[in-house]
Amino acid sequence: MTQTLFTNARLIDPEGDTDQIGALLVTDGKITRIILQDGNSGDALAALDKTDVTVIDCAGKCLAPGIVDIGVKVGEPGERHKESFGTAGQAAAAGGVTTMVTRPDTNPPIDTPEQLDFIRRRATDEARVNVRPMAALTKGREGREMTEIGFLMDAGAVAFTDCDHVVTDNKVLSRAMTYARSLGALVIGHPQDPGLSKGAAATSGKFASLRGLPSVSPMAERMGLDRDIALVEMTGVRYHVDQLTTARALPALERAKANGFKVTAGTSMHHLTLNEMDLADYRTFFKVKPPLRSEDDRKAIVEAIRSGLIDVIGSFHTPQDEESKRLPFEEAASGAVGLETMLPVILRLYHAEELSLPCLFRALSFNPAKLLGLDCGRLSEGAPADLVLFDPDKPVVLDRFKLRSKSKNTPFDGARLQGRVLGTWVSGDRVFAEGQA
């Protein structure tokens, strides 16, 4: 039996919405006891049998459930030069991410049980953290024929998505949703009208016009979401919106939830902390999909996280090599890395007093774990000891060349941030320590 006792910790409990000083005992990879600081806490700690117990003094720093990051792109198979499971796992551990939920938009796409088995074996051999793969909803992500959803679930797929390839054939999508519903499978969609958004590099408006960038109206997201919600109503499937980024889409989501549809939604770290003005210098590291929105949209999405309307925050880690980014803005590849940078970046919202730490970790850990039926993402007895210890106030100047990802395409290069991960544990085993290579 192995035991670790975390003492003098600021326990961030997203399930109970609490932020309290206390201690946490881990036994054989599980959380077995939580002692909150009160009148009897000293007696409770003294009563613990500390024989063969490793004691970690957290010095008042924050101890929270490890982040469950939905929508991570790893370049295996096909683009290993951009990111491997080894480097992604290192970046995740350094960023406090204990579970990566990987996307199937590889080359070729993950659309058969054999490919999914390959991913699981590679992840087990190489990654320091838990990896839960998603599979494609349609074969080749081409939107013409649904994949073998049942067999893929048996092989370990936790959800089904064609990522940013929107299925335009409503009959194909409705059949896939109906079949997924019969198996209890989760479908993840990318709400966007593909015709309106094709070739867009910015959000339409005065700023995009002044910069001469091809743009897309925010209504393209609303139109895509309206279509998907109608199909959810028709089929009864469990449906998750990968990224909501505009204020105009929020009323449709609110109505769907009020009507009892099985709909949840996520957003990205970039759309919570950046806006369209960051594109001013045509820096392609700021080119993401969907494009960055207005400041009013950003504020609306932050409020939707606070109220619980939007459930999940993800990094949408998308590694791109230098050659695909060092192009004119409208020709450059979309996407940014985020596994290692998400926590300090998201803590901007905490320091601006827009969101509390329990609220943030509800969207980073508890809700994504609950959505996927995982038993992690919470500080409670019996839960896996997937934990992150971090200092929310420690200043850091981000240097992209020090990131553990193979690709270095982050929009936050040189940014002054507050927050540093001090340690990460997966099932009670430490997979990262500050200063570790």
Side-chain angles (χ1 to χ4, degrees), residues 202-215 276-277 279-282:
T203 300
S204 60
K206 183 178 180 181
F207 182 80
S209 298
L210 288 172
R211 287 290 179 264
L213 293 172
S215 60
E276 61 187 353
M277 298 297 184
L279 307 181
D281 295 329
Y282 299 101

Side-chain angles (χ1 to χ4, degrees), residues 310-384:
I310 291 181
D311 308 89
V312 173
I313 299 172
S315 71
F316 290 89
H317 178 83
T318 305
Q320 301 287 6
D321 54 24
E322 297 286 325
E323 288 75 15
S324 61
K325 278 291 189 181
R326 293 192 181 279
L327 294 168
F329 195 91
E330 57 191 88
E331 298 175 19
S334 297
V337 294
L339 281 169
E340 194 170 344
T341 60
M342 178 160 61
L343 185 55
V345 167
I346 285 296
L347 285 174
R348 283 180 166 183
L349 303 175
Y350 163 70
H351 291 296
E353 299 183 351
E354 292 182 285
L355 297 174
S356 68
L357 288 177
C359 178
L360 283 173
F361 275 88
R362 187 165 59 246
L364 290 168
S365 304
F366 180 69
N367 283 345
K370 183 179 177 182
L371 177 68
L372 297 173
L374 307 178
D375 56 359
C376 56
R378 54 199 174 93
L379 291 187
S380 59
E381 294 180 5

